[in-house]
Amino acid sequence: MIGKNTLILGSLILLLSACNNGNLNKNLAELDKVYGRCDNPHRQYNDVQYQICKDKERAGNNQEPFSITDLLNRSQEDQVAIYKSAVNQNLWMGALDILKDYSLKIADSDGGYIETDWIYENQNRCLIKIQITSAELISTGVNTKILCQKNNNDLWVNDNINYINEEKQLTLKILESANLNSQLN
Amino acid sequence: MLSALLAAVGFSSAASADVSVSGSGSVTVSADGTNTETILASGIAFALSTTTANGMSISTSGSISNGTTVEAAAAGGFSSVAFATGGSTITIGKVEVPNGTGDVGPAASDMTKQGDKKNDADSAFGVNGTVEAAGVSLATAVGGASVTVGYVYNAAGTTQGDISGTNTATGVSLSMPVGNITTTLGYVTDGTQNQSGATAAVALGGGTLTVGYGATTATAANETSMGAKYAMSLDADTSMTLGYNSTKGEAPHTKAGVQLTRSIGGGASVFLEAINYAGAGATAGTDIGIGTSFAF
């Protein structure tokens, strides 16, 4: 059965807690300046903690105790490697999507470079080169180049024609596909 | 229903936990004119704490040491749990009620007071009953004042104690600024002895002057303690403390002491201490200690 003294003290504690309108930590800090942290009458230490406190006080060491939790958290963070690609993935997937009907000679996702095999039609052949130049989904993040050759007596020679309009059309197609990918994601 | 009630008083499943450690070591050569001793004291203190989603901190602590005196090595602690929320901290378990308020004097450490003069003259002033045992304490702030109330409900218990125990001690301590003076008032009783006292501290001449007066009433004999202490920094790394205390009662005696410490970096320091005892309740003479300590 709870004694009278216990009930009285419990009530006193509840009353004092309710009356609390000060900042205990701030008051303790002010008392630390007067009495020293170790001898502050409102801080409780056991013998070992008091001794550690006094040794810290002598050394002028105000460091907080060493946190093992922080050390373990930092160790876990150090083991996680974050890799950020220089190639925008939506542009990359968009380019692959546009060229899906052609055989690819080179597809370097790290460098963002795609090159098709020669595409043959009659006595002509062409290949497409695409370079993704940005990690962001921007209209200038794609460079497209079309090279074509003619068969001249079994010898393939460049036709020296600039396919600017075709390259622009291909770039627009890649950007459209990339935008669609970004919306889906 | 239960989870909502617990959440309202600060308990929540979401918490931020921390385990921290601190420690120190020291070696002292202490001489009293007859014997010279080396005293080593080292220890590690662990603190376990967590903060609930409502901002209440729950903590406990333990320690391992080789003994802060020449006593045997000890592992202990984890004998109380503290709940801190808002401006109050409630501690349940092994608590120490405020005791000995007004006892101000020499600042020499336990490592220096290892000579033959560590006797009745060095016994703590205040209620001599069990003031650190199973109980509950509250530390709170009321405006600019700090209040600590402690109640030991079972002097025979520590981590376990019958709250209806008959051996009890109750103490209260109140500290508040009065102008530029910080005053502390205290009262403690264990049913057979009462002790009350007051201290006043003021910044003076680059240091802090603390004076105190305390009185103990007991069935055997009454005792009073009056003392003063002055602590100052000599430079950025060096500090000095002077202290004097006069205790009257069944074994009247005086103590006077000086402590000089210098930080040498890396958490280490060197210190020189001397404490002189005189009077009927002491073996007259001086203990001197020279040592070094480090802490992290």
Side-chain angles (χ1 to χ4, degrees):
Chain A
M1 186 167 174
I2 298 175
K4 180 182 68 173
N5 287 344
T6 308
L7 281 174
I8 292 173
L9 185 67
S11 302
L12 180 61
I13 289 175
L14 285 172
L15 180 62
L16 280 173
S17 297
C19 289
N20 159 56
N21 61 1
N23 188 323
L24 181 61
N25 288 333
K26 181 183 172 187
N27 289 359
L28 289 177
E30 291 297 320
L31 290 174
D32 287 345
K33 296 176 188 174
V34 176
Y35 294 111
R37 185 181 179 93
C38 314
D39 297 308
N40 185 330
H42 297 278
R43 291 191 186 276
Q44 288 210 353
Y45 295 112
N46 62 25
D47 288 344
V48 176
Q49 291 172 326
Y50 180 78
Q51 188 61 44
I52 293 171
C53 182
K54 292 300 284 186
D55 288 338
K56 277 190 172 183
E57 190 176 80
R58 283 197 200 93
N61 183 351
N62 296 320
Q63 264 187 320
E64 290 298 318
F66 178 74
S67 173
I68 297 174
T69 309
D70 285 350
L71 176 64
L72 292 175
N73 288 338
R74 279 201 298 271
S75 296
Q76 289 174 353
E77 287 170 2
D78 289 343
Q79 292 173 5
V80 176
I82 298 175
Y83 172 74
K84 187 174 180 182
S85 172
V87 176
N88 180 269
Q89 292 303 300
N90 291 314
L91 287 173
W92 174 257
M93 295 306 297
L96 289 177
D97 184 56
I98 296 301
L99 299 178
K100 64 179 183 292
D101 293 329
Y102 305 106
S103 171
L104 300 180
K105 179 181 176 183
I106 299 172
D108 175 11
S109 59
D110 289 336
Y113 180 75
I114 302 173
E115 182 178 312
T116 65
D117 285 321
W118 289 108
I119 305 166
Y120 291 86
E121 187 176 76
N122 299 326
Q123 296 299 308
N124 301 312
R125 69 179 187 179
C126 297
L127 66 82
I128 302 171
K129 296 180 182 180
I130 296 176
Q131 175 73 56
I132 309 299
T133 60
S134 170
E136 305 297 326
L137 177 54
I138 54 177
S139 61
T140 56
V142 180
N143 284 339
T144 307
K145 185 66 180 175
I146 298 175
L147 289 176
C148 292
Q149 294 180 334
K150 289 182 178 178
N151 189 323
N152 189 355
N153 297 323
D154 293 331
L155 188 66
W156 291 101
V157 294
N158 289 338
D159 62 6
N160 295 319
I161 297 174
N162 287 323
Y163 295 92
I164 295 177
N165 288 333
E166 289 79 0
E167 287 165 358
K168 283 184 181 177
Q169 292 295 321
L170 189 57
T171 300
L172 283 174
K173 287 287 186 184
I174 293 172
L175 291 172
E176 282 175 10
S177 180
N179 278 327
L180 185 61
N181 284 334
S182 70
Q183 289 168 12
L184 292 174
N185 293 331
Chain B
M1 171 63 180
L2 177 60
S3 59
L5 179 61
L6 292 174
V9 294
F11 289 91
S12 167
S13 60
S16 168
D18 183 54
V19 178
S20 61
V21 61
S22 59
S24 72
S26 65
V27 57
T28 306
V29 176
S30 179
D32 65 357
T34 303
N35 299 312
T36 301
E37 300 177 351
T38 56
I39 298 106
L40 277 74
S42 303
I44 294 178
F46 298 94
L48 284 64
S49 66
T50 190
T51 304
T52 68
N54 286 6
M56 182 171 68
S57 167
I58 307 173
S59 62
T60 186
S61 62
S63 58
I64 301 173
S65 73
N66 75 324
T68 54
T69 64
V70 295
E71 295 164 3
F78 298 114
S79 55
S80 64
V81 176
F83 301 86
T85 181
S88 301
T89 300
I90 296 174
T91 305
I92 300 173
K94 183 179 177 184
V95 300
E96 182 177 7
V97 304
N99 185 28
T101 303
D103 184 29
V104 175
S109 66
D110 283 345
M111 280 81 73
T112 295
K113 295 180 289 186
Q114 292 301 312
D116 291 342
K117 298 168 191 63
K118 184 179 185 300
N119 52 22
D120 290 342
D122 194 48
S123 61
F125 176 81
V127 167
N128 293 324
T130 303
V131 294
E132 184 177 10
V136 60
S137 73
L138 165 73
T140 188
V142 181
S146 300
V147 181
T148 299
V149 179
Y151 178 66
V152 170
Y153 46 69
N154 192 312
T158 54
T159 56
Q160 183 176 349
D162 184 353
I163 61 174
S164 300
T166 54
N167 296 323
T168 62
T170 305
V172 59
S173 175
L174 166 70
S175 296
M176 60 186 296
V178 179
N180 60 345
I181 300 175
T182 300
T183 58
T184 299
L185 305 173
Y187 175 81
V188 58
T189 179
D190 66 355
T192 56
Q193 289 181 306
N194 305 318
Q195 189 266 319
S196 58
T199 65
V202 63
L204 185 69
T208 301
L209 173 66
T210 305
V211 296
Y213 178 84
T216 302
T217 58
T219 54
N222 299 334
E223 195 174 48
T224 60
S225 168
M226 188 164 55
K229 183 170 70 172
Y230 184 70
M232 63 180 292
S233 296
L234 301 179
D235 58 39
D237 298 321
T238 311
S239 62
M240 182 175 69
T241 302
L242 303 169
Y244 176 83
N245 179 274
S246 172
T247 299
K248 298 191 184 302
E250 189 177 25
H253 56 272
T254 62
K255 294 182 289 186
V258 59
Q259 184 183 51
L260 202 63
T261 65
R262 181 171 178 84
S263 169
I264 57 176
S269 65
V270 292
F271 56 89
L272 169 65
E273 304 174 331
I275 180 166
N276 175 268
Y277 298 90
T283 303
T286 302
D287 286 331
I288 297 176
I290 300 174
T292 184
S293 66
F294 67 94
F296 67 91

